[in-house]
Amino acid sequence: MRQPGIYSGMLSGLSGKTGPHSLPLARIKKIMKKSGDDVKMISGEAPIVFSKACELFIEELTRRSWMMTMQGKRRTLQKDDVASAVAATDIFDFLVNLVTEPLNGDEDAPGGTDIIEH
Amino acid sequence: MVDEQEKLLPIANVGRIMKLILPPSAKISKEAKQTIQECASEFISFVTGEASDKCHKENRKTVNGDDICWALSSLGFDDYAEAIVRYLHKYREHESERANYKQQTSKARNVTGRHDHEDKAEGDDDDDDEEGLCHTDSQRGKGTTSTCRRHPAPLEFRIIDRNETSPS
């Protein structure tokens, strides 16, 4: 586990609602390591920086997706809204293949409806 | 299956962040949450790759916070980079103060009684405000000193701050 300082909660904008860091640092580090063979050593700060960056990223992607939902006069954010948001945003170009990839149908019921949860 | 999950951030955390942005009445489909979960991982890989390339070119082995900031900027996420530079600065400041604080409190253990504030009983708070030291409601540990600057963000831990510069 990390030093207590990181858990003090002072740094996270969402502290008090989601805890000191909204995303688990160990998992972030794992994802970083898997990103490439030449990623060998990662400083202690890097996952902390990413926990904030991912928060901002998720917030922005959610916000933009929700705008698409509202344009469609709906109240449920769907996967297609995320795809539309990605297509409409230049800096999200790296996600285009990810969001428009057709599902294999192995995990989801073929032609099934989304499970709505809130 | 388990391997796949390890490459993703926990969906509960992702969902929580999403809900904070959306109006209370909004609903999120499970598929949408999963999609954003995957996008977040892709984001991490994408930015890490860029940061790692930079380190490689500069013959450095360790990817640090500054590299991530640089990569964010380089890939068009300037807003994030700005916010994170500040975040990183606060974090580093906080870390060094924590180290100072530990030093100070271990020093203070050797101090017997008060030196600066014998004539000020409970009125120390006024002093603190004038000096622009950080707010603390702690009255404990009189006689300890700590150098402390004004903190824009509220701190969870207590810093015992007393005027260090007045002659005893």
Side-chain angles (χ1 to χ4, degrees):
Chain A
M1 296 298 262
R2 303 216 172 225
Q3 313 94 317
I6 298 175
Y7 291 123
S8 73
M10 67 165 267
L11 296 173
S12 169
L14 300 182
S15 78
K17 291 180 183 170
T18 60
H21 289 111
S22 26
L23 298 164
L25 302 178
R27 187 74 66 88
I28 291 175
K29 195 167 179 180
K30 261 190 211 154
I31 299 171
M32 286 178 75
K33 288 220 155 135
K34 287 205 169 125
S35 72
D37 283 335
D38 49 346
V39 182
K40 297 220 164 59
M41 299 200 60
I42 300 173
S43 89
E45 317 170 310
I48 290 168
V49 165
F50 259 124
S51 101
K52 186 70 181 167
C54 285
E55 218 177 271
L56 297 172
F57 171 77
I58 292 169
E59 285 174 6
E60 181 168 9
L61 186 51
T62 302
R63 211 178 295 125
R64 288 175 184 269
S65 304
W66 180 247
M67 287 184 339
M68 301 297 164
T69 311
M70 288 200 292
Q71 273 180 26
K73 298 203 189 348
R74 287 174 283 108
R75 299 298 292 179
T76 304
L77 201 158
Q78 308 276 6
K79 181 182 174 176
D80 286 344
D81 299 321
V82 181
S84 305
V86 163
T89 313
D90 285 341
I91 55 172
F92 290 162
D93 278 350
F94 69 100
L95 296 169
V96 164
N97 289 332
L98 190 62
V99 298
T100 56
E101 213 171 359
L103 290 174
N104 293 331
D106 292 342
E107 285 150 15
D108 291 358
T113 49
D114 278 340
I115 299 163
I116 294 169
E117 27 179 89
H118 181 54
Chain B
M1 274 304 144
V2 173
D3 204 41
E4 281 304 307
Q5 282 307 307
E6 281 191 356
K7 288 190 202 150
L8 300 173
L9 299 171
I11 199 162
N13 300 52
V14 172
R16 236 176 280 145
I17 298 172
M18 290 176 73
K19 279 183 204 162
L20 290 174
I21 290 292
L22 297 174
S25 59
K27 295 191 183 336
I28 310 169
S29 83
K30 187 177 179 192
E31 237 190 359
K33 244 190 258 188
Q34 286 171 335
T35 303
I36 294 195
Q37 188 195 20
E38 289 165 11
C39 290
S41 286
E42 193 65 25
F43 172 71
I44 295 175
S45 296
F46 187 50
V47 175
T48 302
E50 186 79 359
S52 168
D53 279 349
K54 179 179 202 263
C55 287
H56 201 66
K57 280 185 194 139
E58 296 176 3
N59 285 322
R60 281 183 293 115
K61 287 190 191 151
T62 309
V63 177
N64 63 34
D66 292 321
D67 296 323
I68 309 289
C69 289
W70 179 88
L72 286 169
S73 221
S74 160
L75 295 168
F77 299 98
D78 297 300
D79 298 337
Y80 302 5
E82 259 182 56
I84 279 159
V85 163
R86 279 180 266 135
Y87 185 74
L88 196 51
H89 183 68
K90 265 192 214 165
Y91 167 72
R92 285 172 177 163
E93 234 178 40
H94 163 49
E95 285 295 291
S96 70
E97 272 170 11
R98 225 164 47 88
N100 276 346
Y101 174 61
K102 280 192 175 154
Q103 241 182 16
Q104 296 291 344
T105 48
S106 63
K107 245 194 246 171
R109 299 273 177 262
N110 303 327
V111 173
T112 50
R114 317 169 186 193
H115 36 251
D116 295 349
H117 307 284
E118 268 169 70
D119 49 353
K120 291 180 193 172
E122 302 298 301
D124 292 308
D125 283 350
D126 297 329
D127 204 25
D128 291 350
D129 286 346
E130 282 171 37
E131 296 295 328
L133 297 174
C134 72
H135 257 314
T136 174
D137 52 5
S138 170
Q139 295 294 330
R140 282 179 266 149
K142 290 194 164 54
T144 61
T145 58
S146 161
T147 51
C148 190
R149 309 267 177 276
R150 192 186 297 279
H151 288 287
L155 299 173
E156 299 283 297
F157 56 88
R158 295 173 192 271
I159 287 186
I160 298 157
D161 50 333
R162 291 289 179 263
N163 189 346
E164 199 180 37
T165 56
S166 60
S168 34

